Amino acid sequence: MNKSPHNDVAESEDSEAQPPASRPFISGSDSAPLQATTDVKPGTLWLSNHFNTLARDKSDTLLLIVACAMVLLPHVAHLPIWTSLTCSLVLMWRIAITWRGNRLPPLGLLLPLALLTMLGVYAGEHTLFGRDAGVSMLVLLLTFKLLEMRARRDVFVVLFLSFFLVLTTFFYSQSIVTALLVIATIIVLLTAQLSFQFTGAVPHLRKRLRMGAFILVLAVPLTLVLFLLFPRIQGPLWGMPGDAFGGRTGMSDSMAPGTISQLAMSDDIAYRVKFIDPAPAPAQRYWRGAVLTRFDGRTWTRRTASTLPIVSPDASSVGKTSPQTIRQQVTMEASGQRWLFALETPQFPATSESSPPLRSHINYDRELLADRPITERTRYDVSSAIYSQGPPSEGAPDEAAALRQSVALPPGFNPRTIAFAHTLRAKASSDAEVVKAVLDFFHHENFSYTLEPPLLGHDGVDEFLFATRAGFCEHYSSAFVVLMRAANIPARVVTGYQGGEINPVDGFMTVRQSDAHAWAEVWLEGRGWVRVDPTAAVAPERIQQSLNQFLPRSFLGGLINIGSSPDSWLNKLHIVRENWEALSNNWNQWVLNYTPDKQKSLLQYFGIQQLDWRALVGLLVGFGTFAMAVVALPLLFVRNKIDPLDKVYSGFCNRMVKHGMTRQPHEGPGAYRERLCGEASPLTPKAKSAAALFLKAYETLRYGTNHGTDKVTLASLKAQFNKLKPLLS
């Protein structure tokens, strides 16, 4: 049978008389069986009706579990699968305990489970220190601590551990989406913390969420002061050197069939470019990266670093034709590699305002190399020379040895390719004619350009040239270089990116991992190293367009089409994507890239020229005090608003004082009603009846479920009080 509001009031009366600290407040604790309380409004309207009528302790505990789940959610992408599954099972276990009102598991069960998971972390990471191992342990400890909440202190341990774990989210991502998710998580955590603080009536969940958001807003002024004035540290704030090379997506220092085609499936941004001079045409957007000279029959790798001398700035810009010079400002994402990307060909080493300063050099393979791996987002300036026929080049001091390396082929591989190259060599009168013959062979034969080429065996180049004839850029560049070397022409593979798309919103060019490309360079007498792109002979549209436009991808048998056609859903969302990426770029440039130099420039703009730690501390204290005053003073001078319901009840109690019936501090509305209606009461029978109705209505409105046809409202309560006043005169 459903209880009437009056029955709910009778139960609430006992709970109200009980001291707040003695009431069990953690669902599933080892205390005595919990008494259902009805002094809270439904907190989560989007759940089932059963949850709407949950006891106070259960609803608060479930809210805390939801907050912890939001804390753990961003870590699922980088945690080991077994860790994520373990946390999910523990959370579901804790939800079941809360929902059913069961007792928490004993410490004798939790301790072995926790130790077992710590051993699992050590077995997977081979250490208990470092970013990944530390985050995994914190995640597991948080979930197991939820099974050990037996007192108020345990609740706050969970809350503070959650706040700390929120910070570790920035170890892996500092994007706008991550920041918004962290803000939402903090609001829910603050709401959960507030919920456990209430000892009487608890506001509606939506009101508590607004209170949590308001607390967070109060911290914004001081946060801005700390962001702008707190001394910037050298290096990344949210990075750890031991984990710098983990989980990077990008160009590697080797190439084998399938490596670039797999990378081309990613739409991740490799870098963004702001052009100081007009941007080059699409066919000239070759972004030079690693130069691969060694070949073992399948994989191409770079020459040994000790054999790569550094080019002086004067030598690096020598050419036999007048180039077009283009200055660029590149914002490169972390790659874990040392090379920097620039339009072919970089004239001078890159310059950067990063801290510590980024130093770079150009070697005789014309690679632009940094003095350290790029483990954080880095911005640098570089100037490139664009040649219409490819970059001329001076030879290295060990030019003869370098050229011998560039004609070497491993024995026992690709005999048909070598025989074919000898045939072309015999028919040609010069090296340039051999190059043209191979390009004509690619262009006129039935070759295709695809992201999903068939697998190749031991003699991979033979199978590609004379059997499958389907491949990606790495297949064509590799086969071309092998043919050149078999014809005794020095050649090598160059990897990098080709293309890029200018965002009309902010004017930056975006180069993605899907723009990854490989081409070839051949040594021609009198000209030096000359770029040759065999992919252009097979699919010239690939050089003029981005890969997504040239090779639209589809999934689920064509039900989902990703390409440039009018029916492509990605094309329909292109404007949204451009605006979002422009916003992300501004976030990167002005928030994440707020370096010590930018901080210094900002203070100099406001007239602070001499900046030392004393001046910075003084500014920080002064503006910090001002920010806290802006927040605190209005709160101090604003009078506390009286709850309208309490105002009506206080008016009733004041009326009773005049009749000698003062409400005692320990009396709830129910006990007060019994005394007012008792035989010793001086009230008339009509006044007693009216007072009893008023107090029952107040109990229903303050503590009861208050629904149905006899729903009590504040207006009806005021009306009853107005009817009672004449009876008390």
Side-chain angles (χ1 to χ4, degrees):
M1 295 178 61
N2 294 329
K3 295 181 180 180
S4 67
H6 303 290
N7 292 333
D8 290 333
V9 171
E11 290 187 4
S12 68
E13 198 175 318
D14 296 332
S15 64
E16 183 192 22
Q18 190 177 11
S22 65
R23 186 178 64 85
F25 66 98
I26 304 173
S27 178
S29 65
D30 291 337
S31 58
L34 297 175
Q35 178 179 345
T37 60
T38 56
D39 58 341
V40 60
K41 298 180 182 179
T44 50
L45 297 178
W46 59 86
L47 292 179
S48 65
N49 291 331
H50 294 288
F51 188 79
N52 288 336
T53 57
L54 282 177
R56 158 83 181 275
D57 49 3
K58 289 188 177 181
S59 61
D60 289 350
T61 305
L62 288 175
L63 180 60
L64 178 60
I65 295 173
V66 170
C68 292
M70 293 180 65
V71 172
L72 302 178
L73 182 61
H75 294 286
V76 173
H78 52 78
L79 285 175
I81 296 178
W82 73 267
T83 305
S84 300
L85 290 176
T86 301
C87 293
S88 301
L89 292 174
V90 172
L91 287 177
M92 289 188 290
W93 187 8
R94 188 62 175 93
I95 291 173
I97 290 174
T98 304
W99 195 268
R100 298 175 181 175
N102 297 336
R103 292 185 180 274
L104 294 174
L107 185 62
L109 176 61
L110 291 179
L111 187 58
L113 289 177
L115 291 176
L116 186 62
T117 56
M118 296 302 106
L119 290 176
V121 172
Y122 183 81
E125 303 292 341
H126 305 291
T127 181
L128 293 179
F129 302 97
R131 181 191 65 181
D132 294 337
V135 171
S136 296
M137 287 194 297
L138 285 176
V139 164
L140 291 167
L141 289 175
L142 174 62
T143 52
F144 279 111
K145 186 62 182 177
L146 288 171
L147 293 173
E148 202 205 3
M149 289 197 308
R150 292 179 169 85
R152 183 180 294 268
R153 182 187 66 85
D154 296 324
V155 173
F156 290 106
V157 169
V158 170
L159 286 167
F160 295 148
L161 184 58
S162 298
F163 281 118
F164 183 79
L165 198 56
V166 164
L167 292 177
T168 64
T169 305
F170 293 115
F171 285 154
Y172 301 93
S173 173
Q174 301 97 44
S175 66
I176 297 178
V177 174
T178 301
L180 293 176
L181 180 58
V182 166
I183 290 174
T185 303
I186 292 175
I187 291 175
V188 177
L189 281 172
L190 289 172
T191 303
Q193 184 174 358
L194 287 171
S195 299
F196 283 103
Q197 298 294 329
F198 289 103
T199 57
V202 180
H204 196 280
L205 178 60
R206 284 177 293 182
K207 185 175 182 180
R208 281 178 282 155
L209 286 170
R210 286 196 298 267
M211 294 172 64
F214 180 70
I215 293 174
L216 188 62
V217 170
L218 292 179
V220 170
L222 184 58
T223 302
L224 290 176
V225 171
L226 292 173
F227 174 78
L228 294 174
L229 298 179
F230 194 83
R232 317 302 292 183
I233 65 173
Q234 302 292 332
L237 175 61
W238 301 108
M240 299 180 67
D243 304 284
F245 303 99
R248 302 297 185 190
T249 300
M251 197 71 67
S252 67
D253 57 355
S254 63
M255 186 191 79
T259 54
I260 296 183
S261 57
Q262 292 176 359
L263 187 61
M265 297 297 292
S266 171
D267 263 350
D268 292 344
I269 294 176
Y271 48 89
R272 292 182 174 93
V273 185
K274 178 182 179 181
F275 286 98
I276 310 301
D277 300 304
Q284 294 179 325
R285 296 172 188 171
Y286 282 87
W287 305 89
R288 190 179 187 87
V291 177
L292 311 179
T293 303
R294 298 178 181 272
F295 184 55
D296 62 3
R298 175 177 174 80
T299 303
W300 292 88
T301 55
R302 299 174 66 236
R303 283 200 286 165
T304 305
S306 60
T307 66
L308 302 179
I310 298 175
V311 181
S312 65
D314 292 335
S316 69
S317 57
V318 172
K320 298 186 178 181
T321 62
S322 298
Q324 174 190 3
T325 301
I326 297 181
R327 292 167 295 169
Q328 315 128 62
Q329 188 178 81
V330 181
T331 303
M332 183 175 171
E333 301 296 322
S335 65
Q337 305 290 346
R338 289 182 56 212
W339 52 75
L340 307 174
F341 292 96
L343 281 174
E344 200 174 54
T345 303
Q347 291 180 301
F348 303 98
T351 59
S352 173
E353 297 180 353
S354 62
S355 297
L358 180 71
R359 296 179 176 83
S360 64
H361 66 270
I362 303 173
N363 61 27
Y364 273 100
D365 278 345
R366 297 209 169 262
E367 297 172 317
L368 181 60
L369 297 172
D371 61 344
R372 62 179 185 270
I374 306 302
T375 58
E376 60 175 321
R377 186 178 291 105
T378 302
R379 189 170 68 182
Y380 56 90
D381 296 283
V382 66
S383 178
S384 299
I386 307 299
Y387 298 88
S388 57
Q389 299 296 326
S393 175
E394 282 195 345
D398 59 342
E399 177 180 315
L403 293 181
R404 284 196 299 271
Q405 283 186 341
S406 299
V407 295
L409 287 174
F413 290 90
N414 307 304
R416 294 183 64 186
T417 301
I418 295 175
F420 179 60
H422 291 167
T423 302
L424 295 178
R425 172 86 272 181
K427 294 180 180 179
S429 59
S430 65
D431 292 349
E433 288 189 8
V434 177
V435 173
K436 183 179 183 301
V438 174
L439 294 179
D440 289 341
F441 173 70
F442 283 138
H443 182 70
H444 295 294
E445 296 296 327
N446 189 26
F447 284 91
S448 62
Y449 187 69
T450 176
L451 274 170
E452 300 177 352
L455 297 177
L456 302 175
H458 179 268
D459 297 317
V461 178
D462 279 356
E463 296 177 21
F464 169 68
L465 290 177
F466 306 108
T468 64
R469 294 193 171 183
F472 200 58
C473 60
E474 66 262 38
H475 297 80
Y476 289 99
S477 58
S478 178
F480 179 85
V481 172
V482 170
L483 283 169
M484 291 298 102
R485 292 188 174 191
N488 201 35
I489 301 174
R492 61 194 185 189
V493 175
V494 182
T495 59
Y497 298 87
Q498 200 287 322
E501 183 180 9
I502 295 180
N503 190 329
V505 178
D506 59 3
F508 279 73
M509 176 177 286
T510 303
V511 180
R512 306 180 184 278
Q513 301 296 349
S514 57
D515 295 317
H517 193 55
W519 59 95
E521 286 183 344
V522 296
W523 178 272
L524 298 180
E525 194 66 33
R527 296 182 60 188
W529 290 106
V530 178
R531 181 183 71 236
V532 179
D533 192 350
T535 301
V538 180
E541 298 87 353
R542 164 63 185 90
I543 309 304
Q544 297 293 336
Q545 306 174 27
S546 67
L547 183 68
N548 288 336
Q549 293 174 317
F550 178 66
L551 287 179
R553 287 166 281 182
S554 60
F555 301 93
L556 300 180
L559 293 177
I560 301 178
N561 178 31
I562 303 179
S564 59
S565 66
D567 296 331
S568 170
W569 66 270
L570 185 59
N571 187 66
K572 296 176 182 178
L573 297 176
H574 195 62
I575 297 178
V576 176
R577 181 184 185 182
E578 288 175 344
N579 282 274
W580 174 254
E581 290 184 347
L583 179 63
S584 299
N585 185 41
N586 287 326
W587 171 267
N588 295 337
Q589 299 289 339
W590 298 105
V591 178
L592 301 184
N593 200 38
Y594 185 65
T595 60
D597 292 328
K598 283 190 175 181
Q599 185 183 55
K600 184 178 180 180
S601 300
L602 175 66
L603 296 176
Q604 288 177 347
Y605 177 79
F606 288 101
I608 304 174
Q609 301 298 330
Q610 299 297 328
L611 185 66
D612 55 15
W613 69 270
R614 295 182 181 87
L616 204 56
V617 170
L619 288 172
L620 188 61
V621 172
F623 281 97
T625 303
F626 176 76
M628 289 188 291
V630 168
V631 172
L633 290 179
L635 297 177
L636 294 176
F637 288 105
V638 172
R639 295 181 61 186
N640 292 329
K641 294 182 179 180
I642 300 176
D643 186 1
L645 183 59
D646 290 337
K647 185 177 181 180
V648 176
Y649 185 55
S650 297
F652 172 82
C653 293
N654 292 334
R655 287 276 181 171
M656 292 298 106
V657 171
K658 297 179 181 179
H659 293 271
M661 300 296 292
T662 304
R663 183 179 68 88
Q664 300 302 318
H666 66 275
E667 279 186 316
Y672 194 28
R673 183 182 69 245
E674 291 181 359
R675 190 159 64 88
L676 289 175
C677 298
E679 294 181 358
S681 173
L683 300 180
T684 65
K686 289 185 178 181
K688 291 180 180 180
S689 177
L693 290 175
F694 174 84
L695 289 173
K696 286 182 179 179
Y698 172 75
E699 283 182 311
T700 301
L701 192 59
R702 170 60 73 189
Y703 305 109
T705 55
N706 194 26
H707 58 77
T709 57
D710 56 346
K711 183 176 180 180
V712 178
T713 64
L714 181 61
S716 65
L717 186 68
K718 289 181 178 179
Q720 289 188 22
F721 183 48
N722 292 330
K723 292 179 181 179
L724 178 63
K725 288 179 181 179
L727 299 177
L728 298 177
S729 300

